Amino acid sequence: KKIVVNFDPDAAGAAAAERSLALLVGEDFEIKVLTLDAGLDPDLFLRKRGREAYVDALKASQKYFDYLIDRARASFPVMTPEGKVKAVNFLLPHIHRVPSRIARDELAKEMAQRLGIDSAVLMQELRHAAGNRSSTVKPPAEPAVTDAERILIRALAAGGQLDVEPG
């Protein structure tokens, strides 16, 4: 149940990584994300730098939530209150997908520390958002998942023992 997600370093690759993370988190995988040097997709990285460099990069891959926090920090100006709110709103759906309440609590504490938010205030906001979401607001739409991604996730969850009919 350990997996490393590695997509192209462009916007489409980041979106694909987020879709995969959304699926894998719910299946209780231990997930890391490998981000290669800007401009190098996995194929080009392997051809230019070789297998050894790729293996070294895999060893340095980061935990999925660290990746998401880094994306939030890069996308939103977390030095401002508005930026912090946007970053939290970006991360919130990912936290809610984590099956373990204890893990969600730890992720929220880490998120608070990395975004410069008082952890008690953040926990209160997360509880408030969860309460509002369950009573008045529809949950955020699941990211669009292709048939190929669905088959891959099922194969990974089954330990590679999945029979897939073409079609």
Side-chain angles (χ1 to χ4, degrees), residues 92-93 96-97 128-140:
L92 187 64
H96 284 295
R97 287 186 184 103
H128 178 72
N132 282 346
R133 191 181 82 168
S134 64
S135 63
T136 61
V137 180
K138 290 182 184 178

Side-chain angles (χ1 to χ4, degrees), residues 46-66:
L46 278 164
R47 284 192 276 144
K48 285 190 171 206
R49 305 239 176 112
R51 182 182 185 277
E52 294 289 324
Y54 190 77
V55 169
D56 289 342
L58 279 172
K59 290 177 185 173
S61 58
Q62 65 186 149
K63 293 178 182 178
Y64 81 95
F65 206 72
D66 291 337

Side-chain angles (χ1 to χ4, degrees), residues 56-135:
D56 289 342
L58 279 172
K59 290 177 185 173
S61 58
Q62 65 186 149
K63 293 178 182 178
Y64 81 95
F65 206 72
D66 291 337
Y67 166 81
L68 291 172
I69 291 173
D70 288 347
R71 289 227 340 119
R73 289 173 54 91
S75 300
F76 308 107
V78 296
M79 299 306 289
T80 67
E82 296 83 12
K84 289 178 183 187
V85 168
K86 288 178 181 179
V88 168
N89 288 335
F90 169 78
L91 294 167
L92 187 64
H94 296 284
I95 289 177
H96 284 295
R97 287 186 184 103
V98 175
S100 166
R101 190 172 182 182
I102 294 169
R104 282 194 307 267
D105 184 59
E106 289 302 311
L107 292 174
K109 287 177 186 174
E110 182 178 344
M111 182 173 77
Q113 190 264 326
R114 300 247 333 256
L115 296 178
I117 301 170
D118 180 88
S119 62
V121 171
L122 179 63
M123 294 303 288
Q124 182 179 7
E125 286 297 315
L126 291 175
R127 280 191 291 277
H128 178 72
N132 282 346
R133 191 181 82 168
S134 64
S135 63

Side-chain angles (χ1 to χ4, degrees), residues 1-3 23-24 27 29 147-165:
K1 287 257 183 175
K2 294 181 181 184
I3 192 164
L23 291 170
L24 295 167
E27 295 295 326
F29 277 90
D147 289 338
E149 290 170 326
R150 211 174 263 111
I151 290 169
L152 177 61
I153 297 301
R154 285 196 336 245
L156 289 168
Q161 303 297 318
L162 183 66
D163 292 326
V164 179
E165 293 182 26

